[in-house]
Amino acid sequence: MSVQGGIPRQKVHLGTPARMSRRLSSQLQRKFPEDLYCEKHLELVQLFCVDDQILLCGQCFHSQEHENHSVCGVQEAAGVYRKLFQEILNTLKEKLEVAKSILADEQERMVMIQGEEQDFKEMIESEYRIRFRLMVEEMNFQSLQDCVFNPKLREDHLNQVLAFATELKGQSQETLQRLNDLGKENMNKLKESEGRLSGHICSLQKMTVELEKKCGKYTLMVLQNAGSSLIRSESLLLQCLEQAQITDLSLCQVTGMSRMLKVLQRAVTLDPKTANPFLVLSEDLRSMHLRNVQQDVPRSPERFVFSATVLGVESFTSGRHYWEVDVEKATKWQLGVSEDSASRHGDLPTASGNKALLMGSLMGTNYTFWAFPPLKRVSLRGEQMHKVGVFLDCESGHISFYDVANRSLIYNFSSLTFQGALRPIFSLCIPSGVTNSDSLSICLPPVSSCDVTVSPQSSLA
């Protein structure tokens, strides 16, 4: 038995027509539970042509058309094809389950990207709102420093605010339009994938039913249209099942950072009483690195036990605050704020209201960002991170995280509610038997940031 083009081929040496007639005479005389007649000669078919994969009657067998073809009895051919069809049937069923699973995933992704698009829309709108407030604050700050009060100055100041508001509104609308276009593009891709998968599942189901009938039928029915069934089955099995390739919505980056952030930058230091024993703090309490064994440290009820975490000494209950952290030498880290009374005995808080975190994870050359609460992936970037800026507005419950090098927003939280004072929080990943030299460093604020001239264009440089 050999296979050519996926079709079984029986090599039968039949000899002269007279000898072939004697060899097949017994098969021609057999009775089968079903009767199938040759459409051309109206005789019972009891032979099978392996070359053409069709049933033959006696006259077909003796015709010139099949003179040099391999021919065998239907019983022999049916056994081969029934086994082959059963193997194909099993593979089709496996592929059918895979296709159903992928379809369910695509439908779930359609729901998820709608939620993600709404989240990004709210994030973009809240970021531009906070930028406008910071710009107004920056302008007021510089007006006080000028120590000049006259109507002309007030008019110029108001014109600056109006110009900035107009520019900011345009930038916001442009970013939201990019997000909307990308969301529609992703949804169209998923709908196309859904339709393609649904059609493929329907074809697989029909083919499965057809082969199940064949495998359960009598001899002649197994062989009827066998070639066509094999070709269609093979075509279905060769079709690739793939999910739609959609674009990450986080590519709609909000670029630029308010220069007022430098004015608000704080000299945050680390609190050794809260540091996990795996963390080594620098003498100036501005950097931390991991060691593979725990240190012998004094007992403290404030100390983190199960995560390589430390809090900042500073505690914020009101106002706006900003600090920057160098993450270049860390592969996994967490930054954010924590209520002063939050639990020190877990990697993540048990209640969603006592911490707000951005988590970064470097895999190869790609950075994946996760946010909490709730825990979700928020961004994927193919570049090394250097500094992350953290901005906190206590009154509005707003927290933003920035890629300082690229001057762009990574993620923000808005309208969060906290019950007490907030402290900066810093975490690394505790080593699991391998050498880990990850470290974080808090950046010092600039010596002076009050000697700049503000304009709508320069404020977001």
Side-chain angles (χ1 to χ4, degrees):
M1 172 74 67
S2 63
V3 177
Q4 183 175 358
I7 308 303
R9 181 176 176 85
Q10 177 78 23
K11 295 295 184 181
V12 181
H13 302 286
L14 299 176
T16 63
R19 294 179 63 185
M20 286 190 292
S21 297
R22 289 194 298 272
R23 178 179 297 181
L24 297 170
S25 61
S26 62
Q27 296 193 31
L28 289 169
Q29 293 170 4
R30 289 178 183 173
K31 300 295 183 182
F32 298 100
E34 75 275 27
D35 289 333
L36 194 63
Y37 290 85
C38 173
E39 294 180 359
K40 184 176 181 180
H41 302 110
L42 302 179
E43 291 185 8
L44 281 173
V45 293
Q46 295 177 319
L47 300 172
F48 185 76
C49 177
V50 177
D51 295 74
D52 293 337
Q53 294 187 320
I54 58 173
L55 290 162
L56 304 177
C57 68
Q59 290 192 52
C60 291
F61 169 66
H62 290 292
S63 68
Q64 187 176 0
E65 183 181 357
H66 300 283
E67 182 177 0
N68 296 315
H69 288 183
S70 297
V71 178
C72 63
V74 291
Q75 291 283 14
E76 181 182 356
V80 173
Y81 274 84
R82 182 175 281 110
K83 181 179 179 182
L84 179 60
F85 282 145
Q86 188 60 57
E87 292 174 354
I88 294 174
L89 179 60
N90 294 338
T91 306
L92 286 171
K93 287 181 176 179
E94 291 175 2
K95 188 169 186 179
L96 178 59
E97 292 305 310
V98 172
K100 288 180 177 179
S101 177
I102 295 177
L103 177 60
D105 289 343
E106 295 293 74
Q107 292 170 339
E108 183 179 352
R109 290 170 79 196
M110 292 171 71
V111 176
M112 287 179 60
I113 66 166
Q114 289 177 319
E116 287 179 2
E117 184 177 349
Q118 182 61 33
D119 289 345
F120 274 101
K121 180 181 178 183
E122 294 173 0
M123 184 180 75
I124 291 168
E125 290 174 340
S126 66
E127 180 64 20
Y128 280 109
R129 283 196 300 270
I130 204 71
R131 287 190 180 188
F132 179 74
R133 289 199 292 268
L134 286 174
M135 182 59 194
V136 172
E137 187 172 321
E138 183 176 355
M139 290 177 172
N140 290 336
F141 177 81
Q142 291 203 328
S143 294
L144 290 173
Q145 286 214 322
D146 291 338
C147 298
V148 178
F149 182 80
N150 60 57
K152 181 67 169 64
L153 183 63
R154 291 183 60 186
E155 182 180 354
D156 291 344
H157 177 75
L158 180 59
N159 288 337
Q160 276 190 330
V161 172
L162 292 175
F164 180 73
T166 300
E167 180 186 354
L168 209 56
K169 182 179 180 181
Q171 292 175 353
S172 174
Q173 290 176 340
E174 181 182 345
T175 306
L176 290 171
Q177 186 59 52
R178 289 202 312 270
L179 178 68
N180 182 63
D181 293 342
L182 188 55
K184 286 182 178 179
E185 179 184 324
N186 284 343
M187 185 59 71
N188 288 336
K189 288 180 179 179
L190 289 171
K191 287 181 177 179
E192 290 175 5
S193 177
E194 180 187 35
R196 185 170 58 253
L197 285 165
S198 297
H200 191 66
I201 287 172
C202 183
S203 298
L204 286 169
Q205 289 172 331
K206 288 180 179 179
M207 196 71 241
T208 299
V209 170
E210 179 180 330
L211 293 188
E212 283 177 338
K213 288 181 179 179
K214 278 188 173 294
C215 292
K217 291 291 183 180
Y218 294 113
T219 302
L220 294 181
M221 296 306 295
V222 175
L223 297 176
Q224 191 175 19
N225 300 319
S228 173
S229 297
L230 284 172
I231 291 172
R232 287 182 287 115
S233 298
E234 185 180 54
S235 175
L236 286 173
L237 292 175
L238 289 176
Q239 290 184 34
C240 294
L241 297 177
E242 295 181 345
Q243 287 186 316
Q245 299 297 313
I246 61 176
T247 306
D248 198 317
L249 294 178
S250 64
L251 292 179
C252 288
Q253 293 184 1
V254 181
T255 56
M257 291 173 62
S258 172
R259 293 177 65 170
M260 192 62 186
L261 294 175
K262 290 296 184 181
V263 177
L264 299 172
Q265 188 168 347
R266 308 300 180 214
V268 173
T269 53
L270 303 173
D271 184 357
K273 295 190 301 295
T274 65
N276 179 274
F278 280 100
L279 290 176
V280 179
L281 307 186
S282 62
E283 290 186 7
D284 62 2
L285 300 179
R286 296 194 185 279
S287 64
M288 53 190 266
H289 71 268
L290 282 169
R291 57 180 295 172
N292 292 326
V293 294
Q294 295 190 53
Q295 302 174 90
D296 185 13
V297 294
R299 288 190 177 184
S300 169
E302 300 179 72
R303 194 175 304 284
F304 283 87
V305 178
F306 298 114
S307 61
T309 302
V310 61
L311 294 180
V313 172
E314 291 69 26
S315 178
F316 307 121
T317 56
S318 61
R320 295 171 181 154
H321 313 274
Y322 176 76
W323 57 95
E324 292 181 355
V325 184
D326 188 336
V327 300
E328 188 173 4
K329 296 180 181 179
T331 55
K332 291 183 180 180
W333 47 263
Q334 296 178 8
L335 301 174
V337 296
S338 170
E339 285 185 4
D340 201 13
S341 58
S343 169
R344 307 288 195 266
H345 300 287
D347 292 322
L348 287 176
T350 55
S352 62
N354 58 10
K355 289 183 185 178
L357 302 172
L358 177 74
M359 296 165 247
S361 177
L362 178 63
M363 296 292 289
T365 58
N366 291 326
Y367 240 107
T368 304
F369 295 102
W370 298 77
F372 180 91
L375 182 61
K376 60 182 179 181
R377 202 200 79 165
V378 296
S379 182
L380 176 67
R381 301 190 182 189
E383 58 207 22
Q384 174 69 38
M385 288 293 296
H386 299 281
K387 293 181 182 179
V388 174
V390 184
F391 169 72
L392 168 65
D393 186 337
C394 294
E395 278 72 24
S396 65
H398 182 99
I399 304 171
S400 292
F401 298 91
Y402 298 97
D403 179 346
V404 177
N406 288 335
R407 304 191 64 76
S408 61
L409 178 70
I410 300 173
Y411 190 74
N412 69 22
F413 298 93
S414 59
S415 303
L416 293 179
T417 302
F418 294 101
Q419 302 302 318
L422 298 174
R423 297 173 67 178
I425 187 170
F426 312 85
S427 291
L428 293 169
C429 183
I430 291 180
S432 55
V434 295
T435 302
N436 190 321
S437 58
D438 280 9
S439 64
L440 295 175
S441 298
I442 301 171
C443 304
L444 286 171
V447 176
S448 174
S449 56
C450 305
D451 55 350
V452 292
T453 301
V454 179
S455 68
Q457 289 75 23
S458 67
S459 63
L460 291 178

